[in-house]
């Protein structure tokens, strides 16, 4: 393999700069592949780019099916209102202010399959109860989004999990170990994600006191009954997302158990999600909540929903193939190995990847750029590869938690009837707590393990 030296960094740098400027991951990745093709071809670059892309599409057919079926599964759960069935359970259990907040937190953990479904399901299901107990919408939004990506990365059966598993599989993190097994081994090292989820009850029970604008929002709700910011009552409110259907919670619980059980037993995520989708469809058809034609439409629409994710993964794989041809990873390893401390590696990885995720608002795109570089570098520096994977996954979950202009925050705000800046003003100061603790944790673990 030819070594292109410093020039091998150019495609990745183009991707990062373009993503920061445009806030668009897919287009930035495609631009990076164009640049790489120009460098490699030294002339008729279009043919080279086309050959690499077609080859990768052929090699990645299994991933296309896997992502499409996850989209179908989420579609069926969403359109049938299965996740919304928890609202009735909540009305019986959440008979107090703190209990309502804890139930929202638990519900956010239960609906782990996808962060959009999480935000919509928990936000819409809990806002009536939270209003009843004078919980500010700002506090509800903070709880909802804190159990979004942070929970999704901790569960390998979520859309985040399958996406990252595909990336790890393609990189080949640990010889003789599947991407699924490597990801499962890395879950204990997703320190920020664990901290972010665990801190929520501490905020709820006042063990960690609220402060700043969030404290003011809660005082407003408690003393005046105004759960929304003041502008809402002056005719400048935001239209809230609603859902028209609500089915029994059992229609959500059973397919999720099937998904997890088959995946644990076989280790095959694609098979698991196919069976879980069929089970969900059969249950809803027996109850006459779904017709066969609607089930088929949901599968087709689910594939459409995941088209962006599928394209993102495929283009990331193409970029990785180009980077391999340019000798990017060996060059980075040779350049960084003499100056990078293994003990500081997880801390630096978390900070750098987290900053990129926050700035770009593209968490999966940042992961697609990071895994092919971070994992081989960790192995070369004798850093535990599971620790490296955990740091990258946790950093992207921080990005989703904190980036107030991201799609995850936008869906959360739409479900709770807020503006994105309401979330930024009240939640970011609180998010600083798990971020600082996460940085300290990665410093400690880095030094302890080395």
């Amino acid at each position: 393999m030819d070594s292109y030296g410093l020039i091998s960094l150019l495609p990745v740098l183009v991707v990062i700069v373009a993503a920061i400027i445009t806030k668009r991951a897919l287009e930035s990745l495609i631009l990076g592949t164009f640049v790489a093709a120009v460098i490699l071809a030294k002339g008729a670059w279009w043919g080279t780019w086309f050959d690499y892309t077609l080859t990768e599409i052929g090699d990645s057919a299994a991933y296309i099916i896997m992502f499409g079926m996850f989209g179908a599964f989420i579609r069926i759960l969403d359109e049938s209102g299965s996740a919304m069935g928890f609202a009735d359970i909540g009305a019986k259990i959440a008979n107090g202010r703190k209990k309502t907040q804890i139930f929202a937190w638990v519900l956010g953990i239960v609906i782990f399959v996808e962060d959009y479904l999480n935000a919509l399901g928990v936000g819409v299901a809990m806002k009536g109860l939270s209003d009843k107990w004078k919980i500010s919408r700002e506090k509800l939004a903070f709880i909802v989004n804190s159990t979004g990506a942070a929970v999704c990365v901790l569960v390998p059966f979520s859309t985040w999990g399958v996406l990252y598993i595909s990336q790890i599989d393609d990189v080949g993190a640990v010889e003789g170990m599947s991407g699924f097994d490597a990801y499962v081994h890395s879950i204990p090292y997703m320190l920020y994600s664990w901290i972010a989820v665990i801190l929520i009850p501490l905020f709820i029970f006042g063990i960690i006191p609220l402060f700043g604008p969030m404290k003011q929002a809660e005082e407003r709700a408690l003393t005046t009954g105004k759960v929304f910011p003041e502008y809402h009552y002056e005719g400048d409110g935001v239209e809230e997302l609603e859902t028209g259907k609500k089915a029994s919670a059992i229609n959500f619980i059973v397919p999720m158990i099937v998904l997890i059980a088959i995946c644990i037993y076989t280790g095959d995520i694609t098979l698991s999600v196919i069976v879980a989708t069929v089970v969900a469809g059969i249950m809803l058809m027996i109850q006459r909540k779904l017709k066969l034609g609607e089930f088929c439409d949901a599968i087709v629409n689910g594939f459409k929903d995941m088209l962006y994710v599928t394209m993102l993964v495929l283009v990331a794989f193409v970029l990785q193939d180009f980077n391999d041809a340019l000798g990017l990873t060996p060059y980075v390893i040779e350049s960084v190995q003499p100056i990078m401390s293994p003990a500081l590696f997880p801390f630096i990885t978390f900070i750098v990847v987290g900053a990129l995720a926050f700035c770009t608002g593209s968490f999966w795109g940042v992961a697609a750029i990071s895994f092919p570089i971070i994992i081989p570098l960790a192995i070369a520096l004798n850093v535990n590869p599971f620790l490296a994977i955990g740091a990258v996954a946790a950093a992207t979950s921080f990005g989703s938690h904190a980036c107030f202009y991201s799609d995850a925050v936008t869906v959360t705000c739409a479900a709770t009837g807020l503006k994105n800046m309401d979330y930024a003003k009240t939640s970011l100061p609180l998010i600083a707590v798990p971020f600082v603790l996460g940085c300290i944790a990665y410093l400690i673990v880095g030094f302890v393990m080395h």
Side-chain angles (χ1 to χ4, degrees):
M1 180 176 63
D2 293 333
S3 175
Y4 285 75
L6 188 62
I7 200 172
S8 66
L9 291 170
L10 186 58
V12 172
L13 291 176
V14 167
V15 172
I16 293 172
V17 172
I20 291 174
I21 294 173
T22 66
K23 306 292 191 296
R24 302 185 70 88
L26 179 60
E27 293 85 341
S28 302
L29 285 167
I30 292 174
L31 180 61
T33 62
F34 287 167
V35 173
V38 170
I39 295 171
L40 274 177
K42 301 175 182 176
W45 65 273
W46 178 252
T48 300
W49 182 88
F50 203 65
D51 289 342
Y52 271 75
T53 302
L54 281 182
T55 300
E56 190 54 62
I57 290 174
D59 293 342
S60 301
Y63 292 120
I64 296 173
I65 295 173
M66 179 176 68
F67 288 122
M69 287 308 302
F70 248 93
F73 183 56
I74 293 166
R75 262 276 179 169
I76 290 171
L77 294 179
D78 187 20
E79 291 185 356
S80 67
S82 298
M84 298 298 298
F86 287 100
D88 292 333
I89 300 174
K92 299 172 184 177
I93 298 174
N95 56 1
R97 200 168 190 275
K98 290 180 180 178
K99 285 184 179 179
T100 299
Q101 295 177 69
I102 288 294
F103 187 80
W105 175 70
V106 171
L107 187 56
I109 294 172
V110 171
I111 307 179
F112 58 76
V113 69
E114 209 263 343
D115 56 339
Y116 286 8
L117 182 64
N118 178 298
L120 181 60
V122 181
V124 173
M126 294 303 301
K127 61 188 180 184
L129 282 171
S130 67
D131 289 353
K132 176 183 177 181
W133 296 106
K134 297 181 180 180
I135 300 165
S136 68
R137 289 297 182 94
E138 293 96 327
K139 181 74 171 294
L140 178 61
F142 172 65
I143 295 172
V144 169
N145 202 46
S146 295
T147 55
V151 170
C152 287
V153 298
L154 295 174
V155 181
F157 319 105
S158 69
T159 51
W160 286 64
V162 297
L163 178 74
Y164 289 1
I165 287 167
S166 69
Q167 297 290 317
I168 296 165
D169 243 336
D170 201 58
V171 174
V174 182
E175 190 174 348
M177 181 177 285
S178 69
F180 178 82
D181 289 337
Y183 191 83
V184 170
H185 280 77
S186 73
I187 290 173
Y189 300 109
M190 298 176 189
L191 303 177
Y192 171 83
S193 304
W194 285 110
I195 294 169
V197 174
I198 292 170
L199 285 188
I200 297 303
L202 303 185
F203 279 119
I204 291 171
F205 288 110
I207 298 171
I208 301 178
L210 294 178
F211 56 90
M214 185 67 79
K215 181 180 179 181
Q216 296 169 9
E218 282 290 88
E219 289 174 348
R220 181 200 68 226
L222 275 170
T223 56
T224 69
K226 294 181 177 180
V227 297
F228 290 95
E230 289 293 341
Y231 65 77
H232 177 88
Y233 303 97
E234 298 170 0
D236 192 25
V238 178
E239 184 177 350
E240 301 175 54
L241 289 179
E242 299 289 348
T243 182
K245 293 184 179 181
K246 185 169 68 175
S248 170
I250 200 71
N251 293 322
F252 179 87
I253 295 170
V254 171
M256 292 305 302
I257 292 174
V258 170
L259 174 71
I260 295 169
I262 294 178
C263 193
I264 291 174
Y265 182 73
T266 66
D268 189 333
I269 295 181
T270 305
L271 174 64
S272 306
V273 73
I274 290 173
V275 175
T277 302
V278 172
V279 169
I282 290 174
M283 289 180 66
L284 291 165
M285 282 188 277
I286 290 173
Q287 299 168 45
R288 296 186 178 180
K289 295 182 180 295
L290 189 72
K291 297 178 182 178
L292 179 60
E294 293 173 334
F295 175 74
C296 296
D297 289 342
I299 292 177
V300 173
N301 290 329
F303 270 78
K304 291 179 182 177
D305 291 342
M306 296 300 282
L307 179 61
Y308 176 82
V309 176
T310 306
M311 291 178 65
L312 186 72
V313 171
L314 291 177
V315 176
F317 286 170
V318 173
L319 180 62
Q320 184 175 328
D321 292 339
F322 275 119
N323 288 337
D324 289 343
L326 292 170
L328 172 66
T329 301
Y331 173 73
V332 171
I333 291 173
E334 291 171 7
S335 302
V336 174
Q337 198 167 7
I339 59 175
M340 172 70 83
S341 164
L344 289 173
F345 186 86
F347 169 74
I348 294 173
T349 296
F350 176 69
I351 292 291
V352 172
V353 176
L356 284 174
F358 181 86
C359 292
T360 63
S362 173
F363 323 117
W364 293 352
V366 168
I369 299 168
S370 303
F371 277 126
I373 298 174
I374 296 297
I375 295 174
L377 183 57
I379 294 172
L381 292 170
N382 200 29
V383 174
N384 187 316
F386 307 130
L387 176 56
I389 293 169
V392 172
T396 55
S397 75
F398 160 73
S400 179
H401 197 187
C403 183
F404 54 90
Y405 47 82
S406 70
D407 45 7
V409 171
T410 299
V411 173
T412 299
C413 289
T416 53
L418 296 174
K419 296 178 180 179
N420 288 48
M421 288 309 299
D422 297 322
Y423 179 89
K425 182 173 68 174
T426 56
S427 292
L428 285 183
L430 302 188
I431 292 171
V433 177
F435 176 75
V436 171
L437 292 176
C439 291
I440 295 171
Y442 279 114
L443 277 173
I444 293 171
V445 171
F447 279 96
V448 168
M449 294 183 70
H450 295 89

